[in-house]
Each structure stands twice: as C-alpha cells, then as structure tokens.
Amino acid sequence: MKKLLAISVAVMGFGTTAAVAETVGFSQIGSESGWRAAETTITRQQAEKRGIDLRFSDAQQRQENQIAALRSFVAQGVDAILLAPVVSTGWDNILMEARDAEIPVVLLDRRIDAPDDLYMTAVGADSVHEGEVAGGWLVDEVGDRQCNVVELQGTTGSSVAIERKQGFENAIADHPNISIIRSQTGDFTRSGGKEVMESFLQAENGGRNICALFSHNDDMAVGAIQAIKEAGLNPGEDILTVSIDGVPDYFRAMANGDANATVELTPNMAGPAFDALQAWWQDGTLPPKFIQTPSTLYTQADDPEGEYQRRKDLGY
Ligand code: AHR
C-alpha cells in the first residue's frame, strides 16, 4: 500500500520517489544481558539510519507478552515484524496471523520450531557451532589433563541454550578426560550466573574439583567469576572460563586475567534483517531462509582491552 502511494506520488510529478517511512514492529525478549541491551541499541540505530519507523516492545522474558505484541503489530498494519523469540516453540498460530495479514516476519538471534513458510528469514549465528568453538578451545587448552566442567545454561527452552549445549558436548565427545559434572540454568543473567556458580562451588569442594566453566553467555560468566573470587579461588587460573557473546565486561575480565575465552555473537542482527526487508520492498527479492552471522573466538591473546574499547565505541 505504501509502495503504491510512493509510486503514484512520483507518477503525479511530485519529484523523485517520495519516501514513505516503512513501519517495523520489534518484539524484543527483554534486557537480561549486556548483549541483549546492545542488540536493542543497535536495532534502534539501524532503523534511524534507514529512516524506518521502529515500534519497540519489551516482552520482559515472557512469550505471552511477545505474542500480544505481535498481535498488536498486526492490528497496526506494520510493514514488517522483527521477532527475537524467547523460546523455540508455540509460535505457529500468531505467525499464521501475520502471514494472513501479509506481514513478513524476520527472526533475530534465536530460532523457532515452526514451518519455515511462517517467517521470511532468520538472522543469527549457528548456535551449535558456537558451542563447538567454545568446547574446541577447552579441548586445546587442557590437552590430556583431567577436566571437570560446570555448565551455566541459558534460558530453558530457548534455541540458543539447547544448541550451545549440544555444540559443546559435540566438541568434547571424543575427549573422555573432559566431562560436564554439573549443569544448570542461570537464565542468561549475571545474578543467575553468580547464584548457580555459588551452588556449584559449594557442592564441589569449594570449587577445588572444578577445572573449567562453560557459560552460555558472558553475563552469567561475569557473575560466576565474582562467585569464584568470593570463594577464594582465581578465575582464569584455578577455574578456566569459556563463554559466548563478547560483551565489554567480559573483555575487561579477560584483560585482567580473570576470564579466558569467548565466542563473539554480533549484536547487529538488525543490519542484515533490514537489508533483506529493504531488498524485498524494493524489487521483491526474497532472502535465504537463514542469514548466518560469524562466530569468532577471542582469547587473552587477542588484545582484550582494545576489544573492550571497540565495543564501547559501538554502543554497548
Ligand atoms: O539469543 C542470544 C542470547 O540471548 C545471548 O547470547 C544472551 O546474552 C542473550 O540473553
């Protein structure tokens, strides 16, 4: 409709194609982590840069809030919807409503269990691969040494928690000297990571039975590092840490020697998502079903202080 309006304005001789701002609804999960906050900031920046009218809704971690937001976006007649789905199941009905209204939906950073004709494309990392990169780092780091790992899982039922766990297990499968001795969700939050790590430390001889922490995100790892310190151990030495995201505070911890490695997840999911939508609006080009973002490993050898600053400059 808006495209038609722009074309008729141009045909009527009102100059070049009059830009009619596209309206995009964004259903964000919440602000559970530094990474999530950065994704929100960068999505707003990307929308502004492109003249897109972004309607933002914070679901505070609840799927029912996301479903209500999507229903409201459909009622408002937005031109597209960005959805960062908190969990992987339960989306079919609301996505059918969006499809019936001919509103394209782009998934950001997490995947869903639903037929793929219910969304236009998904932008994100291969989360199994992220777990494999993290596990691969640990395998190389410990060699033949016996290593008991504790795992902090992300939000239960989220695609990223399921897949990162799977990837890490794949990486250590042929290394019987490495085993996961405890695994529990910290819900991707710093406070959750600290609390669960305290219980791991208590259960494992004050932490002396633990060789490494695998955390599904950096915020939980930062909370866990605090718990390790409070238990009188040296994180990064007595207990190795490997994590996922690449947020500034974790780079700081690496620079201080308190953390060892992280796998970066870009918070700029909106850039590729808007590129795909704009190509479609312009000439009907359909994007591939999955637009994969890179998963780069960073260690203490990779100028963590410089990486900290670089992310701060990016709007984290
Ligand atoms: O879906 C991406 C994950 O969600 C990030 O790794 C985590 O920090 C966030 O909460």
Side-chain angles (χ1 to χ4, degrees):
M1 184 62 195
K2 281 188 176 161
K3 217 185 296 167
L4 274 182
L5 181 64
I7 291 164
S8 44
V9 167
V11 167
M12 285 160 72
F14 290 104
T16 53
T17 45
V20 178
E22 262 84 18
T23 301
V24 175
F26 176 25
S27 171
Q28 177 59 295
I29 292 171
S31 52
E32 72 280 6
S33 65
W35 185 91
R36 182 68 54 200
E39 186 191 45
T40 297
T41 304
I42 290 171
T43 304
R44 289 186 196 279
Q45 289 169 352
Q46 286 286 335
E48 199 181 327
K49 189 170 103 185
R50 296 160 193 256
I52 289 172
D53 170 19
L54 190 76
R55 304 203 178 154
F56 180 78
S57 172
D58 178 339
Q60 306 194 339
Q61 319 293 324
R62 298 167 76 99
Q63 185 181 31
E64 60 266 36
N65 291 345
Q66 293 203 284
I67 290 172
L70 261 58
R71 195 156 282 137
S72 154
F73 293 147
V74 170
Q76 292 167 46
V78 297
D79 296 297
I81 292 172
L82 303 182
L83 169 64
V86 60
V87 290
S88 58
T89 56
W91 298 102
D92 294 40
N93 290 343
I94 187 63
L95 292 182
M96 280 183 217
E97 290 176 34
R99 188 183 58 186
D100 291 348
E102 296 183 12
I103 299 173
V105 174
V106 176
L107 304 178
L108 297 189
D109 74 84
R110 295 189 188 178
R111 309 298 299 270
I112 57 173
D113 293 334
D116 68 5
D117 63 336
L118 289 180
Y119 57 91
M120 177 187 253
T121 185
V123 182
D126 174 342
S127 305
V128 174
H129 179 60
E130 290 178 313
E132 287 170 346
V133 174
W137 174 82
L138 188 68
V139 164
D140 291 346
E141 189 66 21
V142 300
D144 293 336
R145 203 152 47 95
Q146 187 61 39
C147 185
N148 290 338
V149 180
V150 293
E151 177 183 31
L152 286 169
Q153 295 182 36
T155 300
T156 305
S158 65
S159 63
V160 281
I162 297 162
E163 293 169 7
R164 287 171 181 174
K165 179 170 186 47
Q166 185 58 59
F168 189 86
E169 287 173 359
N170 293 348
I172 64 169
D174 293 334
H175 301 272
N177 58 312
I178 304 176
S179 46
I180 299 174
I181 56 166
R182 291 188 184 267
S183 180
Q184 204 178 307
T185 182
D187 208 14
F188 279 134
T189 66
R190 205 169 279 212
S191 58
K194 181 166 190 280
E195 198 179 309
V196 176
M197 190 68 199
E198 281 165 356
S199 71
F200 288 163
L201 290 161
Q202 213 167 23
E204 295 299 337
N205 192 20
R208 277 167 285 277
N209 295 343
I210 303 172
C211 145
L213 163 70
F214 168 48
S215 176
H216 289 195
N217 83 342
D218 284 354
D219 274 74
M220 292 191 293
V222 169
I225 285 166
Q226 187 59 37
I228 295 168
K229 284 184 175 170
E230 287 172 14
L233 297 175
N234 292 322
E237 286 176 22
D238 298 329
I239 297 180
L240 303 174
T241 70
V242 60
S243 173
I244 294 169
D245 271 357
V247 301
D249 286 354
Y250 192 85
F251 276 104
R252 247 298 139 79
M254 284 207 285
N256 294 338
D258 292 338
N260 301 92
T262 188
V263 183
E264 182 179 38
L265 175 70
T266 177
N268 184 11
M269 303 281 167
F274 288 143
D275 285 347
L277 284 167
Q278 288 181 313
W280 185 74
W281 287 326
Q282 195 157 355
D283 58 18
T285 305
L286 270 174
K289 276 288 161 186
F290 181 44
I291 300 173
Q292 189 176 339
T293 59
S295 303
T296 309
L297 177 73
Y298 288 87
T299 68
Q300 290 178 353
D302 297 311
D303 184 21
E305 189 56 37
E307 292 298 333
Y308 166 87
Q309 223 19 275
R310 198 164 70 76
R311 279 160 186 76
K312 280 290 186 195
D313 297 343
L314 278 173
Y316 267 94

